[in-house]
Amino acid sequence: MPIKPEIIEEMLKNIGLLKDAQIKEALRQQRDTRERLGLVLLRNGYIDDENIRNVVVAQLGLRLEKLKDHKIDPGIVTKIPVAFAHHHRVVPIGFDGTSLTVATDNPFNFLAFNNFRTFLDCELKGVLTTDSDIDEFLNAYYGLKEGAPIDTLVAGMGKGQKTPFQKLGEEAAEEEAPVVKLVSLLIAEAFRKRASDVHIEPLENKFRIRYRIDGVLHEVSGPPKRLQHSVISRIKIMAAMDIAEKRLPQDGRIRIEIGGKELDLRVSTLPAMYGESVVLRILDKSSFLLGMKELGFASEDEKKFMKLIKAPNGIFLVTGPTGSGKTTTLYAALNYINTPDRKLITVEDPVEYQISGINQVQVRPQINLTFANGLRSILRQAPDVVMVGEIRDFETAQIAIQASLTGHLVFSTLHTNDAPGAITRLIDMGIKPYLVASAMQAVLAQRLVRVICPSCREEYKPEKEELEAIRLSAEQIKKSKFHRGKGCEECTNTGYKGRIAIFELLVITDEIREFVFEKVPSSVIKEKAKAMGMVTLREDGIKKVLKGITTISEAMRVTQQDIA
C-alpha cells in the first residue's frame, strides 16, 4: 500500500526546511513523473542531499550507515526478491534468525515498513544509507534481472569501474559516458543470459529492449525514451555505420571480447515509425563447431548423415526457417570432412565462423560479388567440396546443380517447411525436374527445440489433450515417463535451458527420383519417404520427449506444420 501524500506532506512540514508552496509543488511533480520524492526535491533545489538525510535521521530516530562497513552474507540476499529490491530500493544487509536488517536510500520508505513486514513475513530493522551504496549493492548482488531498471545499474557504475567488455581494437577510456556503460551492460547481460539476439525497438511511448533466449523473446526493462537516440548512435558507432543516415537500412559488425571469449555481433538497423529498430545478433564462435554427436541425431539418421556428407558428388540441402541451426549443422559437417586430401571452399553471407583449412568467401553485393558470381569463380579453383550459404535464386541454383553434376559435393541451405518441400522449391525456381532428380542426394529439414532445465527437471503426468496431440498408443503412454522444468534461477524461471535440433532426413532413393521426375506433389513424396522409414520433424520431436530431453508442448510448438 503506497504512503498517503498527506502523511508525507505533514512530515515535510515538521522538518521545517520547506515552504508549503514548495512541498505542494514537489508532490505534484512526483505524481506526474513517478520519481522518488527525494530526487524531485533535490532537482528543484528545495533542499540538498545532506540536509534531508540529517533531518530525517533525527526526526525518525534512524542511523546512517555505509554498506561497505557490513559483511554481507549472500544467503540473505534471496530474502528480498530482485524486482522488489529494485523497485523500492530496499536491500537486506543482516539477519539474526528472527529479524531482518534492511537498508534504503529513501527515508520515506520507513513510513511504509509495516507494509514491508507483511510482504516479507518477518520483523524488520531499518538503516539509512546513500544512493551510491544502494546502487553498488543492487549491481553486485542482484545484477540486471528482468524488471530491474537499467538506469539504476548505469548509475551504479562509478568512476574508474570497468565496463563488462571492451571492443577489440578500441582503447578503454578511464571514465566512460553513462550511455557507453549502458550499451556495454545490455550486451554483457545478453551474453550472460545466453541470448542469441538483442532487439532494440523504439515505440511510441517507450524504448523496448528484448532478448531472444533459446528461440523465445523476453522483454527486459528498457532505458528511458529520452536515451533512444544516444543508445542507437553508440551502437552504430561501434558497428562502423553512418550515424547521420537514418532513412535507409544499414548492416554492420562489432567484434568484442567478453568473459575471455571473442564474440561477433551482426548489427542491423531498420528505419521505423518512431526511430531506427536495431537488432544485434550475437555469434559465440565456440558454439558453432559442434561435433557430430552434439547435433542431436538419432543413431540411424546419424549413420545416414555421415555417409551422405562423404559422398563424392551431388547436392545436400539443409532446410528450415532463419535461426533453426542450419549453419551450425553445415559447419559441423564441413569440419568433419575437412581433411588435407580435400579442398573445401565456401561462399557465405556472412562468414560466421572461420574454419582452419577451408577457403571461405564473403558475399559483397555492393561490388557484385553475389552467391552466383562467387560460386561461378569458386568452380575454377577445382574444389572437392563447395558450400553455398543459401540458394536464393534461379542463377545460384542452376550453378549449384551443374557443379554437383560435374563431380563436386555441394552443401547449401533453403527456406522450406519440410524436407520434400525443397524439391518443389527448386522446381518452382525453374530447375528442370530431371536435373533435380539427378543431382539431389538428400535433404535435411531441422528445427530447434528447447531442452528441459536439468536444475529444475521434474516428472509429471500430462493432460489428456497433450497426450492426444502426440498420438501414442495407450501401451506406449503407459510405458513412458514425461518430464518438464519447474522453473528456477538457472533457467530464468522458464523451465528450459539450451536447445537441441530435431531432424527430418530425406534420402533421395531411386523411387523418390522417379517421383521427382514425374513432378508429383511434395505431400506424395513425403508419404512415400515415410513408408520407406523417414522420420518426420514431429516424430523426431516426440522421440526426444520420450527420452526426457524436451516437453510435449515444445515439440508441438516448433512442428505446427507437420500434422501427419
Side-chain angles (χ1 to χ4, degrees), residues 510-529:
D510 289 340
E511 294 93 329
I512 300 294
R513 284 193 172 87
E514 286 292 331
F515 279 16
V516 175
F517 186 76
E518 295 169 6
K519 295 179 66 174
V520 302
S522 61
S523 58
V524 177
I525 295 176
K526 186 168 189 172
E527 287 303 317
K528 178 64 175 178

Side-chain angles (χ1 to χ4, degrees), residues 65-77 92-96 101 137 141:
E65 295 193 7
K66 288 280 188 183
L67 296 191
K68 293 177 182 177
D69 298 335
H70 288 264
K71 186 176 181 180
I72 309 296
D73 177 6
I76 69 169
V77 174
I93 60 173
F95 185 63
D96 61 8
T101 302
F137 188 104
Y141 290 95

Side-chain angles (χ1 to χ4, degrees), residues 19 96 185 415 452 475 479 493 500 529:
K19 298 176 182 178
D96 61 8
L185 279 169
H415 288 259
I452 298 170
E475 186 64 25
K479 292 180 178 179
N493 292 314
I500 194 170

Side-chain angles (χ1 to χ4, degrees), residues 259-279:
K261 287 188 174 184
E262 187 178 324
L263 304 179
D264 269 349
L265 273 62
R266 306 295 182 188
V267 185
S268 171
T269 65
L270 182 70
M273 282 291 291
Y274 302 105
E276 291 176 282
S277 174
V278 181
V279 175

Side-chain angles (χ1 to χ4, degrees), residues 404-418:
S404 68
L405 293 173
T406 54
H408 303 88
L409 178 60
V410 180
F411 293 108
S412 192
T413 69
L414 204 60
H415 288 259
T416 62
N417 287 331
D418 57 12

Side-chain angles (χ1 to χ4, degrees), residues 344-505:
L344 284 70
I345 306 181
T346 73
V347 52
E348 306 172 61
D349 183 22
V351 175
E352 295 186 350
Y353 186 85
Q354 296 176 15
I355 306 175
S356 177
I358 298 179
N359 299 282
Q360 294 170 272
V361 179
Q362 169 74 53
V363 167
R364 300 183 188 277
Q366 63 270 24
I367 58 172
N368 203 31
L369 180 52
T370 60
F371 277 119
N373 290 339
L375 182 54
R376 190 178 288 111
S377 299
I378 280 174
L379 296 179
R380 301 190 190 109
Q381 295 279 314
D384 297 297
V385 181
V386 174
M387 188 189 91
V388 185
E390 183 182 346
I391 293 179
R392 297 177 180 173
D393 51 43
F394 168 75
E395 189 177 9
T396 306
Q398 186 179 44
I399 299 170
I401 291 284
Q402 291 172 351
S404 68
L405 293 173
T406 54
H408 303 88
L409 178 60
V410 180
F411 293 108
S412 192
T413 69
L414 204 60
H415 288 259
T416 62
N417 287 331
D418 57 12
I423 296 169
T424 306
R425 178 78 179 107
L426 287 176
I427 294 173
D428 286 345
M429 281 184 178
I431 304 299
K432 300 295 184 183
Y434 72 90
L435 291 175
V436 176
S438 301
M440 192 78 70
Q441 292 294 327
V443 185
L444 179 71
Q446 70 177 69
R447 300 287 188 279
L448 295 177
V449 295
R450 292 180 290 174
V451 175
I452 298 170
C453 174
S455 300
C456 60
R457 171 194 173 95
E458 65 176 8
E459 191 176 332
Y460 83 111
K461 185 176 181 180
E463 297 292 333
K464 182 181 177 182
E465 293 76 12
E466 287 184 287
L467 294 173
E468 288 176 350
I470 59 177
R471 300 182 182 181
L472 295 179
S473 67
E475 186 64 25
Q476 286 176 304
I477 292 172
K478 188 177 180 180
K479 292 180 178 179
S480 302
K481 293 182 179 180
F482 300 90
H483 297 83
R484 65 184 176 188
K486 187 164 56 176
C488 64
E489 287 189 7
E490 286 290 316
C491 59
T492 325
N493 292 314
T494 62
Y496 300 99
K497 188 174 182 182
R499 289 189 291 175
I500 194 170
I502 57 173
F503 299 103
E504 178 178 290
L505 180 59

